[in-house]
Amino acid sequence: MSSQTQLKPARRSRFALRWYSWLLLAAAAAYGLAFAMHWDDRGVLWVLERFESPAEKQESVWLPDYRVVIDAKLLPGMEKDEASDLSYNPQTKTLFSVMGKNPFLVELTLQGDVLRKMPLVGWSNPEGLTVMENGLMAIVDEREHMLSIVKVDAETRELKRDDFPKYDLGPSKDQNKAFEAITWDARKQQLLLGEERPPALFTWKSDGSQTLKGDKQKLDSDELDLRNLSALAIDPRTGHTLVLSADSHLLLELDEKGEQVSFMTLLGGFNGLKKTIPRAEGVTMDEAGTLYMVSEPNLFYRFEKQK
């Protein structure tokens, strides 16, 4: 009887130790996940957002007010092509998306319906796309570290890389996670380029033609607390930059000084999303402030601001 009473406390002690160990392990895992996803940074920005005045919100994109109106629409026949970027064309009022795995350019309506497909001959892994001016578009080949400026019009059915000017983007810290994002800044007449990992921004001056001036210049920024940088876009109304991160499931707004303004979480249950956007790889915005995204492998999203 006395030996049984001696064993019971030992059993409770071993159970308590296991419970305490599992609690510590869970806490460590939660902290590691929060650190990797930059949830601590998002928490700080979320708190700061609460103190923004209505006037300040009006002068920005203000991503918390956006809700999805087209949620995960399938781009037909592109399941194995991997949608890699998206750009709005103000002249045609249509969208252009580049497919990275099987290289081609696709034109879409603002509702995500396919208008035409144009094979990209000579490209290895086109990951970045932006509409410039006068029918010009810039395409970034991440694997080749190459930027091409092409001409696209209503009659274009195919594009051959050797027919257009090419620019060497140079080496990256991680050659396999190099230049992936690009957007045209009409106000400043320059291209804004983004390296995927570690996230970094560069500018390259242009006059809107197929000729770039000088060389790209790196922008110093400590605001890119993201796991990776997937795509870039510039709001034509405010000049603010939208930075997309597939790994962080996040869209971040930076003002013209490069400082964080607002963000949108791309997880299911937020901003009207039924499910988490699996891998958001492209983002763009039109002159009305409507937001568009594509996700691998072939999903299309449209967000509108709730007034």
Side-chain angles (χ1 to χ4, degrees), residues 123-155:
W123 279 269
S124 176
N125 183 223
E127 289 285 336
L129 167 73
T130 189
V131 174
M132 298 174 67
E133 297 170 3
N134 305 314
L136 298 179
M137 298 185 193
I139 300 175
V140 170
D141 192 315
E142 185 180 23
R143 190 172 300 149
E144 299 290 336
H145 302 266
M146 192 74 67
L147 166 67
S148 304
I149 300 180
V150 304
K151 181 85 171 179
V152 178
D153 58 30
E155 305 305 317

PDB file of all heavy atoms in Angstrom, residues 123-155:
ATOM      1  N   TRP A 123      12.502  32.677 -74.477  1.00  0.00           N
ATOM      2  CA  TRP A 123      12.544  32.900 -73.035  1.00  0.00           C
ATOM      3  C   TRP A 123      12.663  31.566 -72.308  1.00  0.00           C
ATOM      4  O   TRP A 123      12.084  30.559 -72.711  1.00  0.00           O
ATOM      5  CB  TRP A 123      11.291  33.629 -72.562  1.00  0.00           C
ATOM      6  CG  TRP A 123      11.326  35.112 -72.762  1.00  0.00           C
ATOM      7  CD1 TRP A 123      11.767  36.053 -71.888  1.00  0.00           C
ATOM      8  CD2 TRP A 123      10.876  35.838 -73.922  1.00  0.00           C
ATOM      9  NE1 TRP A 123      11.633  37.321 -72.411  1.00  0.00           N
ATOM     10  CE2 TRP A 123      11.086  37.220 -73.666  1.00  0.00           C
ATOM     11  CE3 TRP A 123      10.332  35.462 -75.145  1.00  0.00           C
ATOM     12  CZ2 TRP A 123      10.765  38.210 -74.581  1.00  0.00           C
ATOM     13  CZ3 TRP A 123      10.012  36.444 -76.064  1.00  0.00           C
ATOM     14  CH2 TRP A 123      10.226  37.803 -75.782  1.00  0.00           C
ATOM     15  N   SER A 124      13.408  31.578 -71.211  1.00  0.00           N
ATOM     16  CA  SER A 124      13.600  30.368 -70.427  1.00  0.00           C
ATOM     17  C   SER A 124      12.611  30.281 -69.275  1.00  0.00           C
ATOM     18  O   SER A 124      11.949  29.264 -69.085  1.00  0.00           O
ATOM     19  CB  SER A 124      15.041  30.327 -69.883  1.00  0.00           C
ATOM     20  OG  SER A 124      15.223  29.208 -69.037  1.00  0.00           O
ATOM     21  N   ASN A 125      12.520  31.351 -68.492  1.00  0.00           N
ATOM     22  CA  ASN A 125      11.646  31.352 -67.316  1.00  0.00           C
ATOM     23  C   ASN A 125      11.128  32.774 -67.053  1.00  0.00           C
ATOM     24  O   ASN A 125      11.529  33.434 -66.105  1.00  0.00           O
ATOM     25  CB  ASN A 125      12.411  30.825 -66.098  1.00  0.00           C
ATOM     26  CG  ASN A 125      11.556  30.717 -64.855  1.00  0.00           C
ATOM     27  OD1 ASN A 125      11.974  31.077 -63.762  1.00  0.00           O
ATOM     28  ND2 ASN A 125      10.344  30.211 -65.001  1.00  0.00           N
ATOM     29  N   PRO A 126      10.220  33.277 -67.913  1.00  0.00           N
ATOM     30  CA  PRO A 126       9.693  34.632 -67.709  1.00  0.00           C
ATOM     31  C   PRO A 126       8.860  34.711 -66.442  1.00  0.00           C
ATOM     32  O   PRO A 126       7.858  34.015 -66.314  1.00  0.00           O
ATOM     33  CB  PRO A 126       8.851  34.875 -68.966  1.00  0.00           C
ATOM     34  CG  PRO A 126       8.469  33.512 -69.440  1.00  0.00           C
ATOM     35  CD  PRO A 126       9.609  32.607 -69.082  1.00  0.00           C
ATOM     36  N   GLU A 127       9.280  35.561 -65.516  1.00  0.00           N
ATOM     37  CA  GLU A 127       8.606  35.656 -64.220  1.00  0.00           C
ATOM     38  C   GLU A 127       8.020  37.032 -63.952  1.00  0.00           C
ATOM     39  O   GLU A 127       7.132  37.173 -63.125  1.00  0.00           O
ATOM     40  CB  GLU A 127       9.593  35.295 -63.094  1.00  0.00           C
ATOM     41  CG  GLU A 127       9.961  33.825 -63.026  1.00  0.00           C
ATOM     42  CD  GLU A 127       8.852  32.975 -62.442  1.00  0.00           C
ATOM     43  OE1 GLU A 127       8.024  33.517 -61.692  1.00  0.00           O
ATOM     44  OE2 GLU A 127       8.799  31.771 -62.746  1.00  0.00           O
ATOM     45  N   GLY A 128       8.542  38.078 -64.612  1.00  0.00           N
ATOM     46  CA  GLY A 128       8.075  39.427 -64.361  1.00  0.00           C
ATOM     47  C   GLY A 128       7.575  40.088 -65.629  1.00  0.00           C
ATOM     48  O   GLY A 128       8.131  39.880 -66.708  1.00  0.00           O
ATOM     49  N   LEU A 129       6.522  40.901 -65.496  1.00  0.00           N
ATOM     50  CA  LEU A 129       5.939  41.574 -66.658  1.00  0.00           C
ATOM     51  C   LEU A 129       5.370  42.923 -66.237  1.00  0.00           C
ATOM     52  O   LEU A 129       4.754  43.044 -65.179  1.00  0.00           O
ATOM     53  CB  LEU A 129       4.811  40.718 -67.246  1.00  0.00           C
ATOM     54  CG  LEU A 129       3.887  41.389 -68.277  1.00  0.00           C
ATOM     55  CD1 LEU A 129       4.622  41.569 -69.593  1.00  0.00           C
ATOM     56  CD2 LEU A 129       2.611  40.590 -68.465  1.00  0.00           C
ATOM     57  N   THR A 130       5.570  43.948 -67.072  1.00  0.00           N
ATOM     58  CA  THR A 130       4.907  45.223 -66.850  1.00  0.00           C
ATOM     59  C   THR A 130       4.609  45.906 -68.170  1.00  0.00           C
ATOM     60  O   THR A 130       5.390  45.821 -69.121  1.00  0.00           O
ATOM     61  CB  THR A 130       5.747  46.154 -65.953  1.00  0.00           C
ATOM     62  OG1 THR A 130       4.961  47.304 -65.602  1.00  0.00           O
ATOM     63  CG2 THR A 130       7.021  46.618 -66.638  1.00  0.00           C
ATOM     64  N   VAL A 131       3.451  46.545 -68.242  1.00  0.00           N
ATOM     65  CA  VAL A 131       3.083  47.352 -69.398  1.00  0.00           C
ATOM     66  C   VAL A 131       3.705  48.733 -69.213  1.00  0.00           C
ATOM     67  O   VAL A 131       3.526  49.373 -68.168  1.00  0.00           O
ATOM     68  CB  VAL A 131       1.549  47.470 -69.530  1.00  0.00           C
ATOM     69  CG1 VAL A 131       1.177  48.440 -70.643  1.00  0.00           C
ATOM     70  CG2 VAL A 131       0.937  46.095 -69.786  1.00  0.00           C
ATOM     71  N   MET A 132       4.424  49.212 -70.245  1.00  0.00           N
ATOM     72  CA  MET A 132       5.053  50.527 -70.187  1.00  0.00           C
ATOM     73  C   MET A 132       4.172  51.538 -70.927  1.00  0.00           C
ATOM     74  O   MET A 132       3.037  51.764 -70.543  1.00  0.00           O
ATOM     75  CB  MET A 132       6.471  50.440 -70.756  1.00  0.00           C
ATOM     76  CG  MET A 132       7.379  49.505 -69.955  1.00  0.00           C
ATOM     77  SD  MET A 132       9.013  49.226 -70.683  1.00  0.00           S
ATOM     78  CE  MET A 132       9.746  50.866 -70.526  1.00  0.00           C
ATOM     79  N   GLU A 133       4.667  52.116 -72.006  1.00  0.00           N
ATOM     80  CA  GLU A 133       3.902  53.078 -72.800  1.00  0.00           C
ATOM     81  C   GLU A 133       4.060  52.754 -74.279  1.00  0.00           C
ATOM     82  O   GLU A 133       4.988  52.048 -74.676  1.00  0.00           O
ATOM     83  CB  GLU A 133       4.395  54.503 -72.508  1.00  0.00           C
ATOM     84  CG  GLU A 133       4.173  54.937 -71.064  1.00  0.00           C
ATOM     85  CD  GLU A 133       4.866  56.247 -70.711  1.00  0.00           C
ATOM     86  OE1 GLU A 133       5.475  56.855 -71.616  1.00  0.00           O
ATOM     87  OE2 GLU A 133       4.804  56.659 -69.537  1.00  0.00           O
ATOM     88  N   ASN A 134       3.142  53.250 -75.096  1.00  0.00           N
ATOM     89  CA  ASN A 134       3.227  53.099 -76.551  1.00  0.00           C
ATOM     90  C   ASN A 134       3.316  51.644 -77.006  1.00  0.00           C
ATOM     91  O   ASN A 134       4.025  51.318 -77.952  1.00  0.00           O
ATOM     92  CB  ASN A 134       4.432  53.884 -77.096  1.00  0.00           C
ATOM     93  CG  ASN A 134       4.393  55.347 -76.688  1.00  0.00           C
ATOM     94  OD1 ASN A 134       3.356  55.997 -76.799  1.00  0.00           O
ATOM     95  ND2 ASN A 134       5.514  55.850 -76.201  1.00  0.00           N
ATOM     96  N   GLY A 135       2.592  50.768 -76.307  1.00  0.00           N
ATOM     97  CA  GLY A 135       2.564  49.358 -76.693  1.00  0.00           C
ATOM     98  C   GLY A 135       3.752  48.552 -76.236  1.00  0.00           C
ATOM     99  O   GLY A 135       3.884  47.376 -76.612  1.00  0.00           O
ATOM    100  N   LEU A 136       4.629  49.138 -75.445  1.00  0.00           N
ATOM    101  CA  LEU A 136       5.819  48.431 -74.970  1.00  0.00           C
ATOM    102  C   LEU A 136       5.540  47.695 -73.661  1.00  0.00           C
ATOM    103  O   LEU A 136       4.766  48.164 -72.824  1.00  0.00           O
ATOM    104  CB  LEU A 136       6.978  49.408 -74.765  1.00  0.00           C
ATOM    105  CG  LEU A 136       7.478  50.162 -75.997  1.00  0.00           C
ATOM    106  CD1 LEU A 136       8.606  51.103 -75.615  1.00  0.00           C
ATOM    107  CD2 LEU A 136       7.928  49.188 -77.091  1.00  0.00           C
ATOM    108  N   MET A 137       6.185  46.550 -73.507  1.00  0.00           N
ATOM    109  CA  MET A 137       6.120  45.779 -72.275  1.00  0.00           C
ATOM    110  C   MET A 137       7.518  45.290 -71.941  1.00  0.00           C
ATOM    111  O   MET A 137       8.310  44.973 -72.834  1.00  0.00           O
ATOM    112  CB  MET A 137       5.178  44.575 -72.417  1.00  0.00           C
ATOM    113  CG  MET A 137       3.743  44.928 -72.707  1.00  0.00           C
ATOM    114  SD  MET A 137       2.688  43.461 -72.721  1.00  0.00           S
ATOM    115  CE  MET A 137       1.197  44.153 -73.451  1.00  0.00           C
ATOM    116  N   ALA A 138       7.818  45.235 -70.652  1.00  0.00           N
ATOM    117  CA  ALA A 138       9.096  44.710 -70.188  1.00  0.00           C
ATOM    118  C   ALA A 138       8.869  43.344 -69.558  1.00  0.00           C
ATOM    119  O   ALA A 138       7.945  43.169 -68.753  1.00  0.00           O
ATOM    120  CB  ALA A 138       9.738  45.661 -69.187  1.00  0.00           C
ATOM    121  N   ILE A 139       9.707  42.382 -69.937  1.00  0.00           N
ATOM    122  CA  ILE A 139       9.602  41.013 -69.431  1.00  0.00           C
ATOM    123  C   ILE A 139      10.925  40.631 -68.782  1.00  0.00           C
ATOM    124  O   ILE A 139      11.998  40.818 -69.377  1.00  0.00           O
ATOM    125  CB  ILE A 139       9.264  40.023 -70.557  1.00  0.00           C
ATOM    126  CG1 ILE A 139       7.922  40.393 -71.201  1.00  0.00           C
ATOM    127  CG2 ILE A 139       9.220  38.591 -70.018  1.00  0.00           C
ATOM    128  CD1 ILE A 139       7.570  39.530 -72.412  1.00  0.00           C
ATOM    129  N   VAL A 140      10.857  40.086 -67.570  1.00  0.00           N
ATOM    130  CA  VAL A 140      12.052  39.633 -66.861  1.00  0.00           C
ATOM    131  C   VAL A 140      12.123  38.117 -66.910  1.00  0.00           C
ATOM    132  O   VAL A 140      11.165  37.428 -66.541  1.00  0.00           O
ATOM    133  CB  VAL A 140      12.038  40.116 -65.395  1.00  0.00           C
ATOM    134  CG1 VAL A 140      13.149  39.429 -64.591  1.00  0.00           C
ATOM    135  CG2 VAL A 140      12.203  41.622 -65.330  1.00  0.00           C
ATOM    136  N   ASP A 141      13.256  37.608 -67.371  1.00  0.00           N
ATOM    137  CA  ASP A 141      13.537  36.170 -67.350  1.00  0.00           C
ATOM    138  C   ASP A 141      14.423  35.906 -66.140  1.00  0.00           C
ATOM    139  O   ASP A 141      15.603  36.264 -66.127  1.00  0.00           O
ATOM    140  CB  ASP A 141      14.245  35.740 -68.640  1.00  0.00           C
ATOM    141  CG  ASP A 141      14.308  34.226 -68.800  1.00  0.00           C
ATOM    142  OD1 ASP A 141      14.630  33.546 -67.810  1.00  0.00           O
ATOM    143  OD2 ASP A 141      14.043  33.728 -69.906  1.00  0.00           O
ATOM    144  N   GLU A 142      13.840  35.288 -65.109  1.00  0.00           N
ATOM    145  CA  GLU A 142      14.578  35.103 -63.854  1.00  0.00           C
ATOM    146  C   GLU A 142      15.769  34.164 -64.017  1.00  0.00           C
ATOM    147  O   GLU A 142      16.839  34.399 -63.469  1.00  0.00           O
ATOM    148  CB  GLU A 142      13.634  34.563 -62.767  1.00  0.00           C
ATOM    149  CG  GLU A 142      14.311  34.457 -61.398  1.00  0.00           C
ATOM    150  CD  GLU A 142      13.382  33.916 -60.326  1.00  0.00           C
ATOM    151  OE1 GLU A 142      12.396  33.238 -60.665  1.00  0.00           O
ATOM    152  OE2 GLU A 142      13.650  34.169 -59.139  1.00  0.00           O
ATOM    153  N   ARG A 143      15.586  33.097 -64.767  1.00  0.00           N
ATOM    154  CA  ARG A 143      16.663  32.124 -64.923  1.00  0.00           C
ATOM    155  C   ARG A 143      17.832  32.684 -65.717  1.00  0.00           C
ATOM    156  O   ARG A 143      18.992  32.416 -65.415  1.00  0.00           O
ATOM    157  CB  ARG A 143      16.121  30.864 -65.600  1.00  0.00           C
ATOM    158  CG  ARG A 143      17.089  29.680 -65.599  1.00  0.00           C
ATOM    159  CD  ARG A 143      16.393  28.436 -66.119  1.00  0.00           C
ATOM    160  NE  ARG A 143      15.250  28.094 -65.275  1.00  0.00           N
ATOM    161  CZ  ARG A 143      14.152  27.492 -65.713  1.00  0.00           C
ATOM    162  NH1 ARG A 143      14.024  27.199 -66.999  1.00  0.00           N
ATOM    163  NH2 ARG A 143      13.158  27.204 -64.889  1.00  0.00           N
ATOM    164  N   GLU A 144      17.525  33.503 -66.737  1.00  0.00           N
ATOM    165  CA  GLU A 144      18.573  34.065 -67.586  1.00  0.00           C
ATOM    166  C   GLU A 144      19.101  35.405 -67.063  1.00  0.00           C
ATOM    167  O   GLU A 144      20.039  35.959 -67.630  1.00  0.00           O
ATOM    168  CB  GLU A 144      18.032  34.260 -69.010  1.00  0.00           C
ATOM    169  CG  GLU A 144      17.566  32.992 -69.699  1.00  0.00           C
ATOM    170  CD  GLU A 144      18.709  32.070 -70.066  1.00  0.00           C
ATOM    171  OE1 GLU A 144      19.839  32.567 -70.211  1.00  0.00           O
ATOM    172  OE2 GLU A 144      18.471  30.852 -70.198  1.00  0.00           O
ATOM    173  N   HIS A 145      18.487  35.941 -66.007  1.00  0.00           N
ATOM    174  CA  HIS A 145      18.871  37.260 -65.463  1.00  0.00           C
ATOM    175  C   HIS A 145      18.832  38.313 -66.574  1.00  0.00           C
ATOM    176  O   HIS A 145      19.745  39.116 -66.718  1.00  0.00           O
ATOM    177  CB  HIS A 145      20.269  37.201 -64.827  1.00  0.00           C
ATOM    178  CG  HIS A 145      20.389  36.187 -63.731  1.00  0.00           C
ATOM    179  ND1 HIS A 145      20.214  36.492 -62.406  1.00  0.00           N
ATOM    180  CD2 HIS A 145      20.651  34.852 -63.774  1.00  0.00           C
ATOM    181  CE1 HIS A 145      20.365  35.393 -61.680  1.00  0.00           C
ATOM    182  NE2 HIS A 145      20.630  34.390 -62.485  1.00  0.00           N
ATOM    183  N   MET A 146      17.739  38.290 -67.329  1.00  0.00           N
ATOM    184  CA  MET A 146      17.632  39.106 -68.524  1.00  0.00           C
ATOM    185  C   MET A 146      16.326  39.899 -68.535  1.00  0.00           C
ATOM    186  O   MET A 146      15.267  39.397 -68.160  1.00  0.00           O
ATOM    187  CB  MET A 146      17.693  38.215 -69.766  1.00  0.00           C
ATOM    188  CG  MET A 146      17.874  38.973 -71.072  1.00  0.00           C
ATOM    189  SD  MET A 146      19.565  39.607 -71.255  1.00  0.00           S
ATOM    190  CE  MET A 146      20.472  38.059 -71.428  1.00  0.00           C
ATOM    191  N   LEU A 147      16.413  41.164 -68.965  1.00  0.00           N
ATOM    192  CA  LEU A 147      15.253  42.022 -69.145  1.00  0.00           C
ATOM    193  C   LEU A 147      15.091  42.313 -70.628  1.00  0.00           C
ATOM    194  O   LEU A 147      16.040  42.753 -71.282  1.00  0.00           O
ATOM    195  CB  LEU A 147      15.441  43.323 -68.356  1.00  0.00           C
ATOM    196  CG  LEU A 147      14.494  44.484 -68.671  1.00  0.00           C
ATOM    197  CD1 LEU A 147      13.070  44.139 -68.248  1.00  0.00           C
ATOM    198  CD2 LEU A 147      14.952  45.757 -67.955  1.00  0.00           C
ATOM    199  N   SER A 148      13.896  42.089 -71.168  1.00  0.00           N
ATOM    200  CA  SER A 148      13.599  42.372 -72.576  1.00  0.00           C
ATOM    201  C   SER A 148      12.464  43.379 -72.648  1.00  0.00           C
ATOM    202  O   SER A 148      11.536  43.345 -71.841  1.00  0.00           O
ATOM    203  CB  SER A 148      13.188  41.099 -73.316  1.00  0.00           C
ATOM    204  OG  SER A 148      14.176  40.098 -73.210  1.00  0.00           O
ATOM    205  N   ILE A 149      12.545  44.288 -73.603  1.00  0.00           N
ATOM    206  CA  ILE A 149      11.465  45.249 -73.826  1.00  0.00           C
ATOM    207  C   ILE A 149      10.856  44.956 -75.193  1.00  0.00           C
ATOM    208  O   ILE A 149      11.501  45.121 -76.230  1.00  0.00           O
ATOM    209  CB  ILE A 149      11.965  46.697 -73.746  1.00  0.00           C
ATOM    210  CG1 ILE A 149      12.562  46.962 -72.353  1.00  0.00           C
ATOM    211  CG2 ILE A 149      10.813  47.669 -74.004  1.00  0.00           C
ATOM    212  CD1 ILE A 149      13.078  48.363 -72.158  1.00  0.00           C
ATOM    213  N   VAL A 150       9.600  44.498 -75.194  1.00  0.00           N
ATOM    214  CA  VAL A 150       8.948  44.022 -76.404  1.00  0.00           C
ATOM    215  C   VAL A 150       7.832  44.977 -76.826  1.00  0.00           C
ATOM    216  O   VAL A 150       7.380  45.808 -76.041  1.00  0.00           O
ATOM    217  CB  VAL A 150       8.369  42.604 -76.192  1.00  0.00           C
ATOM    218  CG1 VAL A 150       9.456  41.647 -75.726  1.00  0.00           C
ATOM    219  CG2 VAL A 150       7.220  42.626 -75.185  1.00  0.00           C
ATOM    220  N   LYS A 151       7.395  44.825 -78.062  1.00  0.00           N
ATOM    221  CA  LYS A 151       6.295  45.620 -78.612  1.00  0.00           C
ATOM    222  C   LYS A 151       5.116  44.690 -78.863  1.00  0.00           C
ATOM    223  O   LYS A 151       5.251  43.663 -79.543  1.00  0.00           O
ATOM    224  CB  LYS A 151       6.731  46.286 -79.915  1.00  0.00           C
ATOM    225  CG  LYS A 151       5.672  47.160 -80.569  1.00  0.00           C
ATOM    226  CD  LYS A 151       5.659  48.560 -80.008  1.00  0.00           C
ATOM    227  CE  LYS A 151       4.747  49.472 -80.812  1.00  0.00           C
ATOM    228  NZ  LYS A 151       4.695  50.844 -80.277  1.00  0.00           N
ATOM    229  N   VAL A 152       3.951  45.052 -78.306  1.00  0.00           N
ATOM    230  CA  VAL A 152       2.750  44.230 -78.459  1.00  0.00           C
ATOM    231  C   VAL A 152       1.611  45.105 -78.958  1.00  0.00           C
ATOM    232  O   VAL A 152       1.345  46.179 -78.408  1.00  0.00           O
ATOM    233  CB  VAL A 152       2.354  43.568 -77.119  1.00  0.00           C
ATOM    234  CG1 VAL A 152       1.075  42.754 -77.280  1.00  0.00           C
ATOM    235  CG2 VAL A 152       3.483  42.686 -76.598  1.00  0.00           C
ATOM    236  N   ASP A 153       0.953  44.659 -80.018  1.00  0.00           N
ATOM    237  CA  ASP A 153      -0.229  45.370 -80.498  1.00  0.00           C
ATOM    238  C   ASP A 153      -1.355  44.370 -80.752  1.00  0.00           C
ATOM    239  O   ASP A 153      -1.222  43.185 -80.448  1.00  0.00           O
ATOM    240  CB  ASP A 153       0.093  46.183 -81.757  1.00  0.00           C
ATOM    241  CG  ASP A 153       0.628  45.337 -82.909  1.00  0.00           C
ATOM    242  OD1 ASP A 153       0.249  44.139 -83.004  1.00  0.00           O
ATOM    243  OD2 ASP A 153       1.416  45.852 -83.712  1.00  0.00           O
ATOM    244  N   ALA A 154      -2.433  44.844 -81.329  1.00  0.00           N
ATOM    245  CA  ALA A 154      -3.612  44.003 -81.527  1.00  0.00           C
ATOM    246  C   ALA A 154      -3.351  42.850 -82.492  1.00  0.00           C
ATOM    247  O   ALA A 154      -4.075  41.842 -82.474  1.00  0.00           O
ATOM    248  CB  ALA A 154      -4.781  44.847 -82.032  1.00  0.00           C
ATOM    249  N   GLU A 155      -2.317  42.975 -83.334  1.00  0.00           N
ATOM    250  CA  GLU A 155      -2.022  41.939 -84.323  1.00  0.00           C
ATOM    251  C   GLU A 155      -0.982  40.921 -83.840  1.00  0.00           C
ATOM    252  O   GLU A 155      -0.716  39.939 -84.518  1.00  0.00           O
ATOM    253  CB  GLU A 155      -1.508  42.589 -85.618  1.00  0.00           C
ATOM    254  CG  GLU A 155      -2.449  43.640 -86.203  1.00  0.00           C
ATOM    255  CD  GLU A 155      -3.844  43.099 -86.446  1.00  0.00           C
ATOM    256  OE1 GLU A 155      -3.959  41.966 -86.950  1.00  0.00           O
ATOM    257  OE2 GLU A 155      -4.819  43.805 -86.117  1.00  0.00           O
TER     258      GLU A 155
END
